[in-house]
Amino acid sequence: MSKFPEALFLAALIATGAAALAPVAAEEPSGGKLGLGRAATEAEIAAWDIDVRPDGQGLPVGSGTVAEGEALFEAQCASCHGDFGEGRDRWPVLAGGYDTLTRSRPEKTIGSYWPHLSTVYDYIHRAMPFGSAQTLGDDDVYALTAYVLYLNDIVSDEEFELSNENFTSIEMPNAGGFIPDDRESEPHYKTGAEPCMVDCKPKPAEITMRAQVLDVTPDSEAEGEGAAGGQVD
Amino acid sequence: MRSLALGGAAAFAGTSGARAAAGGDPAITELKDWNSYLGEGVVSRPYGTPSPFEAEVVRRDVPWLTADATSSVSFTPLHDLDGIITPNGLCFERHHAGIAEIPPDEHRLMINGLVDRPLVFTMDDLKRFPRENRVYFLECAANSGMEWRGAQLNGCQFTHGMIHCVMYTGTPLRYLLEEAGVKTAGKWLLAEGADASSMTRSIPMEKALDDCLVAWKMNGEALRPEQGYPVRLVVPGWEGNMWVKWLRRLEVGDQPWEQREETSKYTDLLASGKARKFTWGMEVKSVITSPSPQAPIRHGKGRTVVTGLAWSGNGRINRVDVSVDGGRNWQTARIDGPSLPMALHRFYYDFDWDGSQLLLQSRAVDERGFVQPTKNELRAARGDNSIYHNNGIQTWLLTSDGGLENVEVS
């Protein structure tokens, strides 16, 4: 996506100044303790509150089929995510990766890792396509969600139609894969343990790995390109 | 490794300055331009910027880390900073859809869901709430995440620079929630941003009512656009992803929403194949910022200042220990400056370097008694695919020429 043109930005600023003079909505007192803010209208809440929960709360009425989703995906998504959700370049992989979560290089996709289908609908709807978010209609998002299920072999029928009616009947393969935060049970977090100060290792420490061997740091003399593992997100 | 294009001569003179030639040091014996000619007048720099000799002190990125610069991260130059406050222009960035440029007059903050009164606030409304000033660190959950498998990036800017610490001015989140009236069933809060990623995270109501802020100033001035201008959420001690920038909506609910950023991302895969979710708190951590790979020792042996940062999402830092032999023996360092809960702490360890090869480490202890673990202890408990929450002890190899390298030790 191109950078916001400066002229357009200035124009927006000027337009805003004018708009600020007109009331945006009927001024109703907030009714709160300090009397700050105003009541949100139904239309305002409907415009912004698009989130969907695992129990289906927030799903709009609508539907879409795998076949419809395939056409949309090819037009709107495949240039980054690949025709089969395999991900081009470093763009995210959406499908596959089953049974890789215990491997040294796990592939965490919607099918192999995501616990809830609601997150797929919600995220596509709010944030995709990358660079022109919130341009998809409710039925488009149902269709794309159905197609992502198909790419992940969670549904196999191209005629399958996903709707607000059958949405919560879909169970994701890794639904049971998440546990609450139990970091404090790890042995090194035993509270009140006084750390060792003297002769804490039987022998002098030895170097087991060096960053200069990888040489992937920017500005280093021979900058590497993507050779290393590790991720930021 | 560091280019000295601008500051080179000055830096050289500085490091060898004590040694004067027979006639004396020209820095003293020669009349300099700035001793004689007038400098620029007031307001020649209406918004001041650092000296050109500090041009290397900038945010940097690691292009191979992400597919695109708009959903990516830059790093704070920790190796060149001191004290505990990060200058606004150097605070690391993490965006998921680029920097939203929002005219404040067009920004709104909505509260809806399980509340008595769904409300809309303008920025002017927010600034009429009672204000508080608080200093907190903000650390990305993925800080040091590239180091899970071993030493990879050479410099604390890259291994530890997804952190900053500023003073926020804003209003406690609970004042806004009280204004809307949270219903008894309202146990969770969804915070949402106005950028094109519409960043969303579920926050338990207990935390929302405790110490979260809705902030519009950092270090005394308006938030920078890349830090969420005009308003962001402050979630003290918790992972940076939850500090929603360009905050536009708060929804009260009775369950978490399980959004993309708390299922696909910001969940921590363990060796068992199960993943931890809702790992909110940032654990006790520290790093020596100088000397470090980007800040080598140029003065030779003798008196040497080792300095670094320590922090914990659990509260204050009680103590920082420093080792020069890879963790075999430890000395307690000196913490200087304010010791504030969930803020960066600055430590110093002053010693006489004999010019020998050393393995430098720091180890923080927080007020709850948690001791910063080694990376090997973390790996033993979690494996090496957690991506997030790597607070393991960092080792720098100091070689006799004063250079440093990111290493792992036995």
Side-chain angles (χ1 to χ4, degrees), chain A:
Chain A
M1 193 176 147
S2 64
K3 276 180 86 173
F4 207 94
E6 200 167 37
L8 196 55
F9 179 59
L10 279 174
L13 272 177
I14 293 160
T16 306
L21 298 174
V24 240
E27 286 296 324
E28 287 183 44
S30 74
K33 196 168 65 174
L34 303 177
L36 293 171
R38 61 162 177 85
T41 70
E42 294 287 329
E44 288 170 339
I45 294 171
W48 277 7
D49 182 354
I50 59 168
D51 50 67
V52 180
R53 289 197 324 201
D55 63 0
Q57 191 189 86
L59 278 174
V61 173
S63 63
T65 66
V66 169
E68 289 162 354
E70 180 174 16
L72 276 166
F73 193 89
E74 280 171 9
Q76 304 247 30
C77 319
S79 62
C80 293
H81 293 297
D83 289 338
F84 305 100
E86 76 277 15
R88 294 196 179 149
D89 302 325
R90 289 186 67 88
W91 297 104
V93 179
L94 303 183
Y98 290 109
D99 300 322
T100 64
L101 298 184
T102 54
R103 294 193 194 159
S104 68
R105 300 282 178 177
E107 192 163 56
K108 299 193 290 183
T109 72
I110 291 169
S112 70
Y113 191 66
W114 290 35
H116 309 293
L117 188 60
S118 56
T119 316
V120 181
Y121 188 100
D122 177 285
Y123 186 68
I124 294 173
H125 197 196
R126 77 173 50 246
M128 289 291 127
F130 192 64
S132 54
Q134 302 203 12
T135 55
L136 295 166
D138 294 345
D139 289 344
D140 295 341
V141 182
Y142 277 111
L144 284 167
T145 306
Y147 186 61
V148 169
L149 289 173
Y150 181 81
L151 286 177
N152 278 288
D153 299 320
I154 297 167
V155 301
S156 51
D157 180 2
E158 283 190 41
E159 299 309 310
F160 172 78
E161 183 178 71
L162 184 69
S163 72
N164 57 300
E165 300 288 335
N166 66 1
F167 193 93
T168 56
S169 68
I170 306 282
E171 188 169 346
M172 301 296 278
N174 196 39
F178 293 81
I179 59 171
D181 184 1
D182 61 349
R183 280 174 292 170
E184 290 191 6
S185 68
E186 292 176 346
H188 49 264
Y189 281 128
K190 197 168 57 180
T191 48
E194 194 50 35
C196 175
M197 296 298 285
V198 179
D199 291 335
C200 305
K201 295 180 181 184
K203 293 184 294 184
E206 285 175 18
I207 294 166
T208 57
M209 191 178 270
R210 305 180 62 147
Q212 276 179 11
V213 174
L214 278 174
D215 198 22
V216 290
T217 308
D219 298 347
S220 62
E221 279 172 18
E223 184 175 330
E225 278 291 335
Q231 290 170 266
V232 69
D233 54 356

Side-chain angles (χ1 to χ4, degrees), chain B residues 352-371:
Chain B
D352 287 312
W353 180 42
D354 63 5
S356 64
Q357 178 172 298
L358 300 177
L359 291 164
L360 303 177
Q361 295 186 342
S362 63
R363 177 181 70 189
V365 184
D366 72 23
E367 66 176 290
R368 279 186 61 197
F370 290 117
V371 180

